Every structure is written in C-alpha cells, then in structure tokens.
Amino acid sequence: MTILQLKIASTEVHHTAIIVLGAVLGRLCKAELCHDEVGKAAISFLSHGAAHADDTTLLPFLIGLANAHIPSSVPVLLRHAAGASPQAAALSMAALQRLPAKFISAEAQISLLAISRGEGSTHDPAIRILAIETLLMSEPPYDIVRALLADLHNATSEMARFVLAKVAAMIRASHPVSLTIQKALRDPFIKNYDFFSRDGLSSACWGFISQANASNITYNLDILFSTNGLMRRSNMDVILQGHRDALLVSQVTLEAEGLQSIFGEGLDAGGEDTDATARMSALLFGVQLKPVEFFRGYGDLLSKIWSSTGEPTTAVKGLLSLSRHQQELVLGSGLTLILHGDVALGIDITGNIDVSIWNAKSKTVISSKGAVVVLATAAVVTENWKKGVEVTTDAEVQFDTTTTVHFSRSPYLICLQMERSTFPYREKMVHFSAYQKEEHVLESKRVRVVRIPGAELPLHPANSEMCKQMFA
C-alpha cells in the first residue's frame, strides 16, 4: 500500500503492484486477517480503482479484485460484466466464477441471467456464454436453471451446442448444480429431439488426467466457436481433487475477436465489428496473471507474421516454493527426531498462434509444462551421532492443447487435440549414519525411475471424426 501511494514511473510495474496487492489480500482474507485497518484500506483501494479507473488502468484493478476474492466486489464486477469492453467483461466474469456460490445473491443471479439473454449493451456471444457459466457455477435455484435452458431455443446453434455440452459435463462431474439441471431436463419443453439436435462445433469436455486413492487430477476443456466456424474462446482447467476439497491448479484461456474481418466472413448474430485481436491469460494456484496479447488489428497481425521467429509467447514462467516445513519431536526414549520437508514447483505456460492466410489454415498451441520436486528428511540426532533417511521425488510433465483449423472449405474443418507427453518419475531414498564430529558419512542409496507413457486425452467423438478427415 505504501508503494502504491508513490508515483511509479513504469506503467508495467504499477499494474503488477496492483495485481500483487490483490493476490496478497486474497491470502490474508482466506486466513481471516484482512479486517484490520490495512486490509480495509486495500479493499477500498481496489474497489474504488475498479469503479472509477479509465480504460488504460481498469484491467489491473479487475485482476486485483479477482485475486482478492472479496464479496463486496460483486456489484462492481457485475457492472463491468455488463459493460461494452469484452476483455473487462471476461475478467469480471472470471472473478465472479471464483467467488463462493454463497456470495452470488439472488439479485446478482438475475443480473447474470439478463446478461446471458443479451439485454442492455451486452450482445457478444462469448460474454453471454460466460454469464451462463457463471450463473450455473453459482448454484442457482430451479426456476433460473429452467429459464436459462429454455432461452437456448432462441440462441444461435453454437451457443446452444456449447451450453448443452457444458451442462452434460457438469452432470458427469457431479457438480453441485447437476441435480437441479437434471430436474429441469425432465421438462419435455426443454428435453426434446429438436432441442438436443442443434448443429455446431463448440464443445465442453471433462475427464481424468490421473487417478489415485487419495486424489485425482481432472481437466475441463471448453471451446466456443463463432457461427462462421472460427474459434472464439477456449479454456483449459487442471484441477486437483481430494476427498473433500478441490484446487484449481492452473487455467489457460485463449480469446479471439474480430477474426471474421480477416477471412471475409460476416458477423455473428448480435456480434460487433471489432479489430482482429487474440490474447491469452493464465491463472496459477488461484492467482490471475496479466493477459498476454498476441496481436491487435490486421496490421499488427501481418507485422508479427513477417517478423515471427516461430518462438511461442510466454504467459507465465517461474519457480515456486509451495511448502517448507521443519519440526522437532521428542520421542519417548528421550531422543530428538527432526523432520524437514520442501515442495517446489517449476512451471512454464506458453502459447503460439500460427495463421497462414495464403494456405487458409491456422494452428493454435497452448503448452503447459510443470515440474515438481519433493524433499523429505527424518533424522534422529544426539550430541554425538545422527541417523536418518532422506527421500527425494520429482516428476516433469507437459500438456499440449492444439487447435487446427482449415478455411479452404465450407464448413471449416476443425481438429482439437490434447496430449500428455511421456514423462519420468524419479524417486531416491538415502539412509545415512554419521558421528557429528567426523566428516565421514555412511550411506546407502536406492534409486527408482519410472517412465509414464504419454497419451492423447479423449474428447468428443465428432471431433475425432473431423480430425480423421483433416489428417487423412
């Protein structure tokens, strides 16, 4: 807060400080430590900034509010969610989705329903879809769920296709709202052949990356296309699920606007004529990062095509210390047992968009690489002697989500692929024994290395058929 009161010459540093303030505030509020004078000042600073900032400074304040997870931010976020800026609306929706369902009041749910219907100034299909997703995740009552599904009769094919796939994925994942959705689907007005046979390419998939007794790692992959067959928005979530809790490990979102102008296509129903723009945003362990823009406008796209080196754009890259623990236990024998543990994570999320106007083809690749290292030591220590065991485990894995589109025929051919690379899992156990006053250490080592084979994660059957046509 003291730094932000100063005049910061670098706009990048200023925006980063606002985002970091929101992340720190979120951690404090989670520990119920944000109700003192400093915490209230930080909440007021972010809320006031988001309510009164101009277009150049609005986004970092919205990201800061998204990271803070404070219920008092709901009115400000709803106002921007219904605004004219698609990027601000998308960030506001993302912030609302990450709030506990109990913070989204009945009045807020009605506002989201109005946005989903395109009322007021909101007509962008992608924003309307985000409003539907946010509304479903807020665990609305039966009447709102039924109204939301009934509205799909008047929606475009892509919107209807996406929402139907989304509710099906939520039912398979046993989301808290799934019982309400199933009740609404018993209505013959909603559940009928004409309604469920809508054409479209949009999809929402849910599945397992790995399964274990104590925890599972699942993925959600949502992709929305325009009625012209161009990708509008894709979202990939990786979730760690325990017996009681779930942790959103990472989220990578790719958004594209106005690409119709490049390929000479018409606008979506209710869409607006905007500059061709593509950007990527990432969320890591509950912290929203600043979006990365690939290009803005046709001229910028051509400039980057000519000057492109083929290297992907980095959204986030770094090393994180997830946990550090040390404890001393006095055993019944009187000896002291020292326990020490460290968990570290390295992560690299990159994205690349390759658009070939001459070959009428585009390829988008989102790569998420992660490496985790766990070091644990247990030793019995006396004044003259030390004996114990040290265990080190590490693994490194990469996920690639690829979207390939061929524009040379109508309708467009679109193939989605999600692959996990082959990765090693290493485990080393060292037993050691030594006298404190001597440098010589007696130890025995056991090393185990397992290579986990790569795999292509299953998506929907219609996508598999289109991939066969594309690569036949």
Side-chain angles (χ1 to χ4, degrees), residues 17 39 52 58 71-72 86 99 109 132 170 186 207 223 226 261 295 302-303 315 318 320 329 336 353 356 365 463:
H52 299 92
L58 175 60
S72 60
L99 287 172
Q109 290 176 345
I132 293 172
M170 295 179 85
R186 296 190 189 105
I223 300 186
S226 68
S261 61
F295 61 84
L302 287 180
S303 172
L320 299 90
L329 300 175
T336 301
I353 295 182
S356 175
V365 181
N463 176 70

Side-chain angles (χ1 to χ4, degrees), residues 409-456:
R409 52 171 288 185
S410 182
Y412 298 149
L413 284 178
I414 300 168
C415 175
L416 313 176
Q417 297 168 292
M418 192 160 68
E419 298 175 301
R420 185 194 67 207
S421 63
T422 299
F423 68 94
Y425 169 81
R426 289 178 288 267
E427 185 178 278
K428 182 175 74 171
M429 181 178 293
V430 178
H431 293 269
F432 58 87
S433 178
Y435 287 100
Q436 298 280 42
K437 297 181 180 180
E438 296 183 8
E439 295 183 0
H440 183 65
V441 178
L442 297 175
E443 62 178 34
S444 62
K445 296 182 182 179
R446 181 170 65 86
V447 179
R448 184 169 70 99
V449 179
V450 179
R451 295 193 67 81
I452 310 298
E456 184 168 347

Side-chain angles (χ1 to χ4, degrees), residues 75-197:
V76 176
L77 294 173
L78 280 174
R79 182 159 63 83
H80 288 295
S85 168
Q87 189 173 8
L91 286 171
S92 300
M93 289 293 184
L96 289 168
Q97 286 183 14
R98 288 160 55 198
L99 287 172
K102 63 182 180 182
F103 293 151
I104 308 298
S105 65
E107 292 79 7
Q109 290 176 345
I110 293 173
S111 298
L112 289 169
L113 184 62
I115 296 173
S116 73
R117 291 172 169 170
E119 298 177 7
S121 61
T122 304
H123 303 288
D124 190 319
I127 301 305
R128 293 172 62 188
I129 285 287
L130 280 171
I132 293 172
E133 290 183 279
T134 307
L135 192 53
L136 288 173
M137 295 181 70
S138 70
E139 302 175 29
Y142 169 79
D143 291 343
I144 288 185
V145 172
R146 187 192 179 284
L148 187 152
L149 294 176
D151 287 341
L152 297 182
H153 283 279
N154 302 317
T156 63
S157 293
E158 289 296 342
M159 280 188 65
R161 179 88 174 191
F162 180 87
V163 175
L164 292 173
K166 187 69 178 180
V167 298
M170 295 179 85
I171 291 173
R172 288 196 300 272
S174 300
H175 190 275
V177 79
S178 59
L179 294 177
T180 309
I181 293 173
Q182 289 174 306
K183 182 180 177 182
L185 289 176
R186 296 190 189 105
D187 187 333
F189 175 74
I190 295 174
K191 190 174 184 180
N192 58 72
Y193 177 79
D194 178 64
F195 185 55
F196 278 89
S197 63

